[in-house]
Amino acid sequence: MVIRIAAVGDVHLDEDVVGRFRPALEELPECADVLLLAGDLTRHGTEAEARCVAEEFGGLAVPVVTVLGNHDHQCDQVPQVVKVLEDAGITVLEGNGVVLDCAGGRLGIAGVKGFGGGFAGRCASDFGEPEMKAFVRTTTESAERLGTALRSLDCDMLVALTHYAPVPDTLVGEPLEIYPFLGSYQLGQAIDSAPTALAVHGHAHAGTERGTTPGGVRVRNVAHPVIKQAYSVFHVGDQLDTDQVSPIGQSGSQRSWS
Ligand SMILES: [Fe+2]
Ligand SMILES: [Fe+2]
C-alpha cells in the first residue's frame, strides 16, 4: 500500500510566472495521488496574485492541498486569498486537517503555516517583554494546533504540511543568524506527537532538502529554489518510505520551469 505525494513550496506566483508549472502539473496523475503546496504561493499576498495561483494550480486531476506562507500574509488580504484558492478547488489548511481517499489508502494531511522561534538550545523563550511573549506564544499556539490536528485524523498514512521549518537540518545553507525566523523546534515536537510518516515545509529558499525530526520523521524542504523542479514526489506506505522512486515519479519530479 503506497501513497504518492507531490510537493512544492515558495512558487511565489505573479502574472509573469503563470503557465511555467502547468505542463508538469498536467502529468501529476501519472506519478502522484495528491499535490501539496507548502506556502508562499504569492509574492505579496494580493487577491490578484491569488488568482494567478488559482489559474496555475486549479482544475488539476489530483487534489491540491495548501498552507499559506508569510508572503501570502503581506498585504493583509488572507480572507480574499483563501476564498480565491478555495473557489479554485484548492484546500487551504490552517490548524486543521483533511483525509483523502487515495488508491493506496486514506491519506491524512494536517497543515499549519507555523512561525519562527528557533531550535533547541538557541530559541526564543516566553519571557520578558509582551512583544517577545507574543512572538513565542504565536509559535506555541501554531504548533499546538498542528499537533492536535495530526492526532485527530483517522487515516492510514499521516503527513504534516507547514511553511516554516520544524527542524534545523533543512535550513543548512541559510545564515545561522536567521534560523529563528525560519522555523521552530515546537513544530517538530508536534510532528513527533503523532505517527507522522512525512513532514513537508518551505520558506528556507537557501536551505537543504532533507532532514529528520528528533523522533525520526522524514522532513523535506520543498521550497522551489531548493528542489529546482516543478515538484518532488515522495512515497509513503507500509514498508516503503522513499523519495522519487518510480520511473514515472522521477520523470515528473525532474520537470523544471526555470
Ligand atoms: Fe518563500
Ligand atoms: Fe516564506
Side-chain angles (χ1 to χ4, degrees), residues 9-12 39-40 70-71 163 202-205 223:
D10 301 86
V11 292
H12 291 283
D40 277 5
N70 56 313
H71 279 249
H163 181 59
H203 193 43
H205 291 206

Side-chain angles (χ1 to χ4, degrees), residues 10-191:
D10 301 86
V11 292
H12 291 283
L13 284 192
D14 201 346
E15 287 180 8
D16 58 325
V17 181
V18 171
R20 294 190 187 179
F21 286 86
R22 197 72 193 191
L25 296 174
E26 297 290 354
E27 295 184 1
L28 274 170
E30 300 171 35
C31 64
D33 300 299
V34 59
L35 173 65
L36 305 185
L37 300 176
D40 277 5
L41 310 174
T42 66
R43 293 183 190 158
H44 302 97
T46 66
E47 192 173 347
E49 289 175 348
R51 282 194 289 271
C52 294
V53 177
E55 183 177 345
E56 193 77 345
F57 292 95
L60 294 176
V62 300
V64 180
V65 179
T66 192
V67 292
L68 300 186
N70 56 313
H71 279 249
D72 305 318
H73 282 250
Q74 169 61 17
C75 283
D76 297 323
Q77 296 181 19
V78 166
Q80 298 95 316
V81 167
V82 169
K83 184 174 189 319
V84 168
L85 298 178
E86 290 183 340
D87 285 349
I90 297 170
T91 300
V92 183
L93 299 180
E94 177 50 45
N96 56 339
V98 63
V99 177
L100 303 175
D101 278 318
C102 302
R106 292 170 303 155
L107 176 66
I109 305 158
V112 72
K113 176 178 64 64
F115 203 51
F119 298 91
R122 300 286 189 276
C123 58
S125 59
D126 186 3
F127 183 88
E129 303 92 326
E131 294 84 355
M132 181 57 77
K133 289 175 182 169
F135 178 83
V136 174
R137 286 175 186 171
T138 299
T139 304
T140 301
E141 290 168 9
S142 184
E144 286 176 352
R145 283 185 287 129
L146 176 64
T148 300
L150 282 166
R151 295 188 298 274
S152 72
L153 295 177
D154 180 14
C155 57
D156 300 312
M157 286 292 156
L158 191 55
V159 172
L161 176 63
T162 63
H163 181 59
Y164 284 76
V167 296
D169 313 19
T170 48
L171 302 184
V172 173
E174 296 279 5
L176 275 173
E177 291 85 349
I178 67 169
Y179 274 32
F181 306 105
L182 295 177
S184 166
Y185 75 97
Q186 295 191 68
L187 296 170
Q189 287 183 334
I191 289 164

